[in-house]
Amino acid sequence: MSVSRTTVLVIGGGPAGSTIAAMLGRSGLDVTLLERAVFPRYHIGESLLASCLSILRLSGAFDKVEAAGFRRKRGSLIHWADDEWILDWAKLVDPDAWSWQVDRAAYDEILLRNAAEQGVKVIEGATVKKIEFDGARPVRATWTATDGTPQTITCDFLADASGRNSVLAKQHLNIRRPHQSFQNIAVWGYWTGARLLPGSPEGAINVLSTPQGWFWHIPLADKYSVGYVTHRDVFAEQRPQYASLEEHYLSLVNGDERLRGVLVDAIFTAPVRAEQDYSYVADRFSGPGHVMVGDAACFLDPLLSTGVHLAQYSAMVGAAAIGSALRGEMVEDKALAFFEYTYRRAYSRMLVLVSRMYEAYNGRDEYFWQSQKLVHSDTRQPVPVRSFTDIITGLADVRESAKADLRVGTDALVNEAEFEQDGPTGGNRYMGGIDMSSIWDLWRDPMTQDDVMDGIVMVDSPVLGLQQR
Ligand SMILES: Cc1cc2nc3c(=O)[nH]c(=O)nc-3n(C[C@H](O)[C@H](O)[C@H](O)COP(=O)(O)OP(=O)(O)OC[C@H]3O[C@@H](n4cnc5c(N)ncnc54)[C@H](O)[C@@H]3O)c2cc1C
């Protein structure tokens, strides 16, 4: 068995792994990334948030993604219950707020190749099987190459970016918990020749609620991604009525008048894909010598298209924390506390918004006012819909990571968790009960106590890192 050594070992080359590796590689650290697949590989998660632009600039991948010709996205059009929301990012947050709708096979490959260009040693077809610890600190990983040969690598720091596999949280530490409230299934397929609903901003995602779930309708460069999300029990009950998954999916899509309209001239291309039980959270996202970034730490229902944002955002903050700790600019505990706090905060805020939409939706005005309470007072917008858009573009997270007093706004999240802990309000609960205990538990953790956070900010120059103000 061959044994090698690296300063930072990254498991997984999705958006989280490629981003954290590229940023650390750019800062001059010795980084090795092990990826199980050989890219390009298929992945769901196509609709990106505006936050990706600044993060891609910091990882060195922006120009390469820009050159790939993905469809530009400038907002969303949401039909939820009886409301229609047209969220035009340029009008609501910033004229430069846009992103892309991407083919993830191509997007993820660009990010992985970019990591290699930033000096990262990238090995594809490399599956991490086992992590060994010195106390609570991971120090060695065993992995197998495509031909099955076992290899060992030692490291000073480990970043788990293994996505839903959660190598650390699920396979080694047993600290991952499913969300009782989002026991959903998603089914989706691709169509050519479709169009967007009238009134959609350029390249917008369309989100359409139904009595028992919701559809996404996403314009990619050459086709549309059309998916349906519902509770897995609802889906299982209906399933025997159809001879195949494809027949079931087509019946759901064709049963919706709005979709029939935009797919009237469109052609469906098999196969239909499905995923279920994808919402969970780990009890903690970091520990001595390790962080969990992206889906390896937590995943939230895809209603607000937050997955890649949280993956790349946690990767950026994780890279800042690891870099500062390894360069001796900040003690590791403190740097990791900042990572833990910011990632939990971003995740919890999105969780509150998604949960509210599923469970206690009382119309868009109440919903937007609630968003107003969840942003930092310095960045709060005068009009509630703007605060909401600021959050759901991921821009509030990025801006707030550079604020010395990140605690502001967290109180509202904690109150929300306490409120839900005392019992949800009822409302439209067709997707199952809402359980906010995961948020509540996150904020009771000593790692996220307020005093740990005082005055720490993320900076991106002269090098990405953390500073004590
Ligand atoms: C139905 C559905 C719809 C979604 N829609 C959206 C959307 O519109 N927009 C959005 O932003 N997000 C969406 N998401 C979420 C998005 O797919 C994920 O959040 C995102 O891919 C997370 O990135 P990641 O890098 O953390 O993980 P991944 O992209 O999953 O990457 C993890 C990588 O780790 C590798 N790996 C796993 N185990 C090992 C191992 N043992 N050794 C080595 N490598 C390993 C895998 O091969 C993989 O390449 C959706 C998710 C679902 C389920």
Side-chain angles (χ1 to χ4, degrees):
M1 191 189 300
S2 76
V3 181
S4 55
R5 170 163 181 85
T6 189
T7 305
V8 184
L9 177 64
V10 178
I11 308 174
S18 294
T19 302
I20 196 166
M23 288 179 175
L24 291 168
R26 263 165 102 82
S27 73
L29 286 164
D30 166 50
V31 184
T32 303
L33 184 155
L34 301 176
E35 164 55 53
R36 182 180 55 179
V38 175
F39 280 30
R41 55 101 177 86
Y42 179 82
H43 206 294
I44 188 59
E46 295 145 334
S47 195
L48 305 188
L49 306 187
S51 60
C52 71
L53 303 183
S54 60
I55 298 177
L56 291 171
R57 285 193 181 98
L58 281 179
S59 72
F62 179 85
D63 291 345
K64 297 158 202 167
V65 175
E66 167 95 312
F70 297 122
R71 173 83 80 114
R72 282 206 181 201
K73 167 185 172 185
R74 294 189 190 274
S76 48
L77 183 145
I78 302 176
H79 279 185
W80 201 259
D82 296 329
D83 282 334
E84 180 184 74
W85 321 348
I86 298 177
L87 300 171
D88 184 328
W89 295 347
K91 287 188 189 142
L92 290 171
V93 282
D94 180 345
D96 294 328
W98 55 274
S99 69
W100 294 278
Q101 311 282 17
V102 298
D103 171 340
R104 280 286 303 277
Y107 180 76
D108 289 14
E109 185 173 20
I110 294 170
L111 265 51
L112 188 69
R113 304 283 168 250
N114 172 63
E117 283 166 35
Q118 307 302 332
V120 175
K121 184 171 184 207
V122 172
I123 308 175
E124 290 168 78
T127 307
V128 173
K129 300 281 190 191
K130 191 176 159 205
I131 311 285
E132 288 168 66
F133 295 81
D134 178 2
R137 200 174 184 90
V139 288
R140 189 202 307 259
T142 305
W143 57 280
T144 52
T146 18
D147 63 2
T149 321
Q151 321 236 13
T152 297
I153 185 162
T154 60
C155 61
D156 297 334
F157 215 100
L158 179 70
D160 181 10
S162 58
R164 288 176 56 194
N165 256 19
S166 299
V167 167
L168 274 179
K170 191 168 117 198
Q171 297 177 9
H172 285 80
L173 303 172
N174 195 21
I175 55 168
R176 196 175 102 168
R177 288 187 282 154
H179 268 302
Q180 295 312 323
S181 38
F182 297 118
Q183 307 235 328
N184 294 344
I185 181 167
V187 274
W188 68 94
Y190 294 92
W191 300 70
T192 47
R195 54 178 189 263
L196 285 176
L197 282 171
S200 298
E202 181 189 341
I205 181 172
N206 292 168
V207 172
L208 312 170
S209 75
T210 72
Q212 292 185 308
W214 59 276
F215 287 103
W216 77 70
H217 180 61
I218 298 175
L220 302 174
D222 56 349
K223 55 186 186 262
Y224 280 68
S225 168
V226 183
Y228 186 64
V229 177
T230 189
H231 194 278
R232 66 175 183 196
D233 294 347
V234 173
F235 192 80
E237 221 169 87
Q238 297 169 348
R239 188 68 192 79
Q241 298 164 33
Y242 302 96
S244 65
L245 181 66
E246 182 175 318
E247 206 181 282
H248 191 173
Y249 166 77
L250 291 174
S251 155
L252 288 163
V253 170
N254 291 327
D256 188 274
E257 201 185 335
R258 299 156 299 180
L259 279 180
R260 270 203 310 278
V262 290
L263 295 173
V264 67
D265 300 319
I267 297 165
F268 167 70
T269 323
V272 170
R273 294 180 158 94
E275 282 196 34
Q276 74 175 44
D277 295 337
Y278 37 67
S279 297
Y280 52 78
V281 60
D283 292 341
R284 56 183 176 78
F285 298 172
S286 63
H290 63 276
V291 294
M292 302 162 207
V293 286
D295 285 7
C298 55
F299 183 65
L300 176 57
D301 188 86
L303 179 57
L304 294 176
S305 312
T306 42
V308 173
H309 160 69
L310 289 173
Q312 297 188 157
Y313 174 71
S314 60
M316 174 179 71
V317 181
I322 296 171
S324 283
L326 288 175
R327 289 189 299 271
E329 295 156 5
M330 190 172 285
V331 292
E332 185 182 290
D333 281 3
K334 205 164 187 172
L336 291 183
F338 182 86
F339 164 78
E340 184 92 27
Y341 194 97
T342 43
Y343 188 16
R344 285 181 181 208
R345 187 179 194 284
Y347 162 78
S348 309
R349 182 157 58 181
M350 297 297 191
L351 180 64
V352 165
L353 292 184
V354 170
S355 301
R356 281 287 175 176
M357 261 174 100
Y358 270 116
E359 195 236 347
Y361 184 71
N362 291 324
R364 65 182 175 189
D365 290 339
E366 188 205 317
Y367 190 69
F368 293 157
W369 273 111
Q370 193 202 12
S371 309
Q372 184 83 327
K373 288 187 273 170
L374 300 177
V375 286
H376 194 287
S377 53
D378 290 359
T379 50
R380 190 165 295 156
Q381 303 281 346
V383 184
V385 65
R386 293 193 177 191
S387 293
F388 171 71
T389 316
D390 224 20
I391 298 175
I392 62 142
T393 48
L395 294 171
D397 287 333
V398 173
R399 254 200 303 275
E400 289 172 10
S401 60
K403 296 243 161 257
D405 188 7
L406 194 63
R407 289 171 296 160
V408 182
T410 304
D411 287 352
L413 282 170
V414 176
N415 289 342
E416 190 70 21
E418 279 175 330
F419 165 74
E420 292 292 343
Q421 197 71 4
D422 290 342
T425 53
N428 183 3
R429 300 183 60 193
Y430 58 81
M431 299 295 290
I434 293 299
D435 171 14
M436 290 280 192
S437 57
S438 57
I439 300 185
W440 178 232
D441 290 348
L442 290 179
W443 296 112
R444 276 190 309 194
D445 191 311
M447 279 291 271
T448 55
Q449 294 304 305
D450 289 347
D451 53 342
V452 180
M453 287 296 303
D454 259 348
I456 307 179
V457 291
M458 199 192 80
V459 293
D460 57 17
S461 70
V463 67
L464 180 68
L466 303 181
Q467 273 179 13
Q468 178 80 55
R469 292 272 156 91

